Amino acid sequence: MSMRIVGYSDRLSVEHGDEIAFMVSTEETAYHAEMVRLIHGDDNPAGPGFKSVHIPSSVDGEHEGLLQVLRPGSYVRVPHREGLETQGSFTIQLWMWPTTPDRGAQTLFAQRGASGDGYALSLENGYLTLRIGETELTVQSRVEARVWHFVSVVFDANTGDVQLMFEPICATRSGTTNSARKSTTGHTHSPTDILIGGQELLDSGELVVSSFYNGKIEAPRLYDRALDDTELAVLREGRDPLPQAGLIAAWDFSRDISTGSVTDSSGHEFHGHAVNMPMRAATGRNWDGKETSWRHVPDQYGAIHFHDDDLSDANWKQSIQWKVPDELPSGVYALHVTAGDAEDFIPFTVRPGLGKPTAKIVLLLPTFSYLAYANERLLDTVEGMGHVDYPRQGQDRYTVENRLLSLYDTHSDGSGVCYSSRLRPIVNMRPKCVMQWLDEGRGSPHGLNADLYLVDWLYEHGFDFDVVTDEDLHHEGARLLEPYNVVLTGTHSEYWSNEMIDAAQAYLHLGGRMMYLGGNGMYWVTQLDPETGASVEVRRRGPSTRMWEPEPGEAHLSSTGELGGIWRYRGRAPQSWLGVGFAAETSGHGRPYVRQPDSFEPDAAFVFDGIDGDELIGDLPNLVQTYGAAGYEFDRADFRLGTPAHTKILATASDFSDAAQAACEEIMTSDSQQSGSVNPLVKTDMVLLDYPDGGAVFTPGAIAWCGCLSQNGYDNNVSRVTSNVLRAFASDERDFRAAAANTVAQDVTA
């Protein structure tokens, strides 16, 4: 059964006194809501089970239900005002690069009212088609996928003739003009908005945008006269000066690439705005491959890539608004909504105000990674990835039914998804939800649900802590972390921006301490949308372990212009400042750690206080994978990639099965020596790295680590190691090792 109640919030992080809005959709006429603090999200009976605490609030109780729908599909809207419509003759000209030309009706350019007045230019089952009034005109030659086409519509009101033409332009040929002519008496005037990439149509009596186009469009122009063949040739060849007489608007997509703004360069200011974030910084028909950064040659990046399944803002009506009470402790919370036996948790964090810490410990939740994995649909094709079938959750079905996508998925036209927004339901960012299918198809928590293992452990051990998010760190930098003695990361902090790395490194150099309690961290170059602050962007440039590849020339982020891919190739490999970086991943069992010589040195002894010297670390059941503290995705030290020479390698997990495979960027040539049983680099290193002025990093380098924390009633050596380091790192003393020794002495005395 799919989700009968679902929602999202307008933000993921709030402070005391902030108001947070929740958008809820349900099939029922009413639903119940209450606030809860989330503690442990995994309901697996092998662990402590689901835990939450009700927080009495003004929103508790029954609320009127409302069914709200998702409407994916990207387009440009140019609002109508006087002078935008065509009264008589007109010309439309644009360039198109279709990706699914044979797929139904796809609107390229339209100014058409619900009554059928005006015009609409579209692709219909592979053929270029124009509707003008009641007249329909189709070119009887098929357009080609992934080829640039020069397209024009010329209507002469004096003769009533309309000409529709396209010409494919590619390396092997050009000049093949395909056209159709027809006489029409249809009335062309429609005082409505112009839409590029979609069209407003009636759906059950409601006017909605549909008929979305898949592919690139470049340089659409509108004239209030019929251009002749010579003038069209000037446009086709891109020669200057362009014909300006009668020009109504010329939309230049190479401008304002980092925003949703669409600029009219005609001087008439018929500017538009992109809806649902179609991909910007897309190569145009004139890209020559000499430069691969849109910032260097913006005129060669004059295209926008539209998709029929883009969705940046669900734009649902607000259902509940809540003001965060001043007395509410920092933590992870959720609006729990129920309708009959259906439920949803809409999570958010409460953080203290900047410079107003309430504890010495802060947990940095990896919300950028939550967004990257948001509504991941790899599970929908899990059989094709070599795994067995599994009982699908309601969240999985909702994702598929509503065409929701993550940064791991591809659009319906096969291009990679590079933007992910929080202004829509993120149904796998939930307690009780499993995402990754490991150990022969067993469901496993990931993201928020796995990070709640750490939240639960902190509560169980009585540690006071604050909670902040990636988004907070991106905006506020090192000053967000400075008041804290130690920063804990989540289990999979994979997606970091340049601003976040700068902030974390500055904090460490000022004497701050970090416990990086995950694996595959600080890996992808990621950026927050500068315009809305609600979405993140990734361009999966190789070499890297990736699910898709950008088109040639499109590896630079539209948000900042910086080169995408992984930080390793930007000179900021995580090994250089955390001591370890991504090494391998496995869908099979994890492994325990074996202590290494560095762990027996006096300045590392505090980590293993209370643990026998020959004891395997994490030789335990695991809630992420069936067994072993080192698993799923894991990291190792690599001095070639910048691991500092003074890094202490405390323990190593190795001897993985062949289900473990080296990261793609580690493989120079194709061979059969990349699996756990034969590749000595398929391993995990637990390290301790000192920084100046008492700063330090500790990491076990594995996503699965926190999945062992609760085993044996929280009394196990993974829990002990984590507690030993946290108590030392949280101390006020500059010499945290001395603080650890004092703590041990006090424990012995007690």
Side-chain angles (χ1 to χ4, degrees):
M1 182 180 297
S2 187
M3 302 181 73
R4 300 202 313 276
I5 186 166
V6 66
Y8 66 96
S9 61
D10 67 344
R11 60 187 70 186
L12 296 180
S13 176
V14 291
E15 298 180 20
H16 298 137
D18 284 348
E19 291 188 340
I20 181 171
F22 299 91
M23 282 54 70
V24 179
S25 173
T26 179
E27 301 171 3
E28 307 297 331
T29 57
Y31 65 93
H32 181 82
E34 64 179 24
M35 287 292 171
V36 297
R37 181 186 300 164
L38 296 176
I39 297 176
H40 192 275
D42 188 0
D43 55 6
N44 186 339
F50 176 75
K51 300 180 187 179
S52 69
V53 176
H54 174 227
I55 306 297
S57 74
S58 59
V59 308
D60 288 3
E62 298 296 308
H63 298 264
E64 183 179 355
L66 174 66
L67 182 63
Q68 308 201 63
V69 300
L70 297 173
R71 297 193 181 278
S74 60
Y75 59 97
V76 167
R77 181 183 291 276
V78 181
H80 175 267
R81 62 178 172 81
E82 185 177 356
L84 183 61
E85 71 275 0
T86 57
Q87 300 287 350
S89 300
F90 69 92
T91 299
I92 303 167
Q93 189 275 312
L94 55 83
W95 292 83
M96 70 172 181
W97 190 81
T99 50
T100 60
D102 295 333
R103 186 181 298 169
Q106 302 174 60
T107 303
L108 297 165
F109 192 98
Q111 189 177 32
R112 188 171 176 88
S115 61
D117 55 331
Y119 55 84
L121 174 65
S122 62
L123 285 177
E124 299 191 13
N125 299 312
Y127 295 96
L128 190 65
T129 299
L130 175 72
R131 286 181 173 82
I132 177 170
E134 297 180 355
T135 300
E136 180 178 319
L137 180 62
T138 299
V139 179
Q140 296 302 314
S141 299
R142 301 180 76 88
V143 303
E144 301 179 44
R146 303 175 65 83
V147 169
W148 279 107
H149 298 71
F150 177 83
V151 178
S152 66
V153 175
V154 180
F155 172 65
D156 189 333
N158 295 322
T159 64
D161 288 341
V162 60
Q163 175 182 271
L164 176 61
M165 184 272 287
F166 74 86
E167 179 182 338
I169 309 293
C170 64
T172 58
R173 70 188 184 286
S174 63
T176 305
T177 301
N178 304 273
S179 64
R181 292 178 179 271
K182 200 169 190 177
S183 294
T184 177
T185 57
H187 185 55
T188 63
H189 171 62
S190 181
T192 57
D193 296 349
I194 286 178
L195 269 61
I196 303 168
Q199 183 181 171
E200 285 189 314
L201 299 169
L202 286 173
D203 181 6
S204 302
E206 182 182 1
L207 194 62
V208 299
V209 180
S210 59
S211 184
F212 296 105
Y213 166 73
N214 281 319
K216 300 181 189 180
I217 294 176
E218 181 176 10
R221 295 177 175 87
L222 179 64
Y223 294 82
D224 67 358
R225 65 185 182 87
L227 299 187
D228 60 30
D229 291 344
T230 300
E231 292 170 320
L232 290 174
V234 170
L235 291 174
R236 182 172 59 251
E237 295 166 11
R239 293 187 286 113
D240 290 327
L242 294 177
Q244 297 297 316
L247 180 65
I248 295 175
W251 292 280
D252 185 353
F253 297 163
S254 71
R255 301 190 187 185
D256 302 307
I257 282 176
S258 296
T259 74
S261 298
V262 173
T263 301
D264 169 21
S265 62
S266 71
H268 299 149
E269 298 189 353
F270 289 115
H271 307 306
H273 196 83
V275 178
N276 277 333
M277 289 189 77
M279 196 190 82
R280 305 295 296 262
T283 55
R285 91 278 184 190
N286 61 340
W287 182 64
D288 59 17
K290 295 176 182 177
E291 290 281 356
T292 58
S293 170
W294 61 264
R295 281 193 160 182
H296 296 163
V297 283
D299 60 301
Q300 294 186 23
Y301 285 81
I304 292 179
H305 193 146
F306 298 89
H307 304 94
D308 62 8
D309 48 13
D310 282 324
L311 180 63
S312 66
D313 190 344
N315 201 29
W316 283 359
K317 293 181 180 178
Q318 179 179 302
S319 304
I320 291 174
Q321 189 168 14
W322 185 55
K323 185 175 182 179
V324 181
D326 291 341
E327 66 275 10
L328 193 68
S330 179
V332 185
Y333 294 85
L335 179 71
H336 183 210
V337 291
T338 56
D341 60 352
E343 69 173 352
D344 191 24
F345 291 86
I346 308 172
F348 62 98
T349 64
V350 174
R351 53 160 288 188
L354 184 63
K356 300 177 181 178
T358 66
K360 298 177 181 180
I361 301 167
V362 64
L363 172 60
L364 175 63
L365 284 184
T367 50
F368 281 13
S369 294
Y370 299 166
L371 290 183
Y373 283 91
N375 304 309
E376 177 192 337
R377 291 181 60 180
L378 289 176
L379 297 180
D380 189 43
T381 57
V382 69
E383 296 89 349
M385 297 176 67
H387 298 276
V388 300
D389 200 1
Y390 61 93
R392 300 177 185 235
Q393 310 162 101
Q395 289 96 334
D396 298 330
R397 287 187 289 275
Y398 183 86
T399 295
V400 173
E401 291 165 1
N402 290 277
R403 305 170 68 204
L404 293 170
L405 299 171
S406 75
L407 296 184
Y408 284 80
D409 300 309
T410 55
H411 290 288
S412 68
D413 70 351
S415 59
V417 179
C418 61
Y419 307 124
S420 180
S421 169
R422 57 176 166 76
L423 297 178
R424 56 183 181 143
I426 302 176
V427 296
N428 57 4
M429 190 180 71
R430 298 291 191 260
K432 303 184 183 181
C433 177
V434 293
M435 285 179 60
Q436 306 302 321
W437 294 89
L438 310 173
D439 290 347
E440 299 180 349
R442 185 180 66 85
S444 170
H446 180 252
L448 175 65
N449 202 9
D451 291 339
L452 289 173
Y453 293 147
L454 181 56
V455 170
D456 173 55
W457 180 85
L458 289 165
Y459 282 129
E460 286 290 330
H461 282 263
F463 289 106
D464 294 327
F465 65 100
D466 288 339
V467 177
V468 296
T469 69
D470 283 356
E471 191 174 326
D472 299 324
L473 182 60
H474 175 87
H475 285 305
E476 297 174 13
R479 60 182 183 157
L480 176 73
L481 305 180
E482 284 172 6
Y484 298 99
N485 291 358
V486 58
V487 177
L488 308 179
T489 73
T491 58
H492 201 176
S493 301
E494 184 176 2
Y495 293 83
W496 270 45
S497 67
N498 197 68
E499 291 85 345
M500 293 168 63
I501 294 177
D502 284 347
Q505 291 182 346
Y507 167 75
L508 290 167
H509 281 285
L510 290 170
R513 298 152 190 165
M514 175 178 287
M515 295 178 68
Y516 161 44
L517 297 178
N520 184 217
M522 299 66 175
Y523 183 75
W524 285 106
V525 175
T526 309
Q527 191 53 248
L528 192 69
D529 174 34
E531 185 173 47
T532 68
S535 67
V536 293
E537 179 185 9
V538 167
R539 301 284 174 117
R540 296 195 184 279
R541 167 181 172 266
S544 59
T545 300
R546 60 202 183 279
M547 300 307 299
W548 53 264
E549 184 88 9
E551 290 289 333
E554 295 180 357
H556 287 255
L557 278 60
S558 64
S559 49
T560 59
E562 64 186 300
L563 181 63
I566 60 176
W567 283 114
R568 170 175 175 168
Y569 297 109
R570 292 272 304 276
R572 310 200 78 173
Q575 290 90 338
S576 68
W577 64 283
L578 295 171
V580 296
F582 185 40
E585 58 187 325
T586 182
S587 60
H589 289 181
R591 298 289 297 152
Y593 294 81
V594 178
R595 290 180 63 176
Q596 300 299 303
D598 284 354
S599 73
F600 297 98
E601 294 185 5
D603 57 357
F606 76 97
V607 176
F608 300 95
D609 176 59
I611 298 172
D612 292 339
D614 59 354
E615 193 172 332
L616 295 176
I617 309 300
D619 183 17
L620 296 163
N622 194 310
L623 293 175
V624 172
Q625 289 168 298
T626 304
Y627 166 77
Y632 183 18
E633 294 180 357
F634 44 90
D635 302 353
R636 64 174 174 84
D638 190 328
F639 297 98
R640 180 178 58 88
L641 291 177
T643 297
H646 64 280
T647 302
K648 293 189 177 299
I649 299 178
L650 305 178
T652 296
S654 58
D655 298 324
F656 285 86
S657 74
D658 287 341
Q661 295 286 321
C664 295
E665 58 272 20
E666 295 291 289
I667 302 171
M668 296 299 178
T669 59
S670 298
D671 57 40
S672 60
Q673 305 300 306
Q674 305 306 326
S675 58
S677 66
V678 293
N679 187 339
L681 299 182
V682 176
K683 65 176 183 175
T684 318
D685 291 323
M686 178 190 301
V687 307
L688 178 65
L689 173 60
D690 283 356
Y691 270 79
D693 297 321
V697 173
F698 167 82
T699 177
I703 289 176
W705 176 265
C706 290
C708 288
L709 289 172
S710 64
Q711 294 299 318
N712 193 37
Y714 304 89
D715 183 12
N716 61 75
N717 55 25
V718 169
S719 176
R720 182 73 186 214
V721 165
T722 308
S723 178
N724 287 343
V725 177
L726 182 55
R727 292 183 189 281
F729 277 18
S731 70
D732 291 328
E733 294 187 35
R734 178 175 174 180
D735 185 352
F736 60 82
R737 291 178 175 85
N742 292 337
T743 300
V744 172
Q746 292 169 5
D747 289 345
V748 171
T749 302

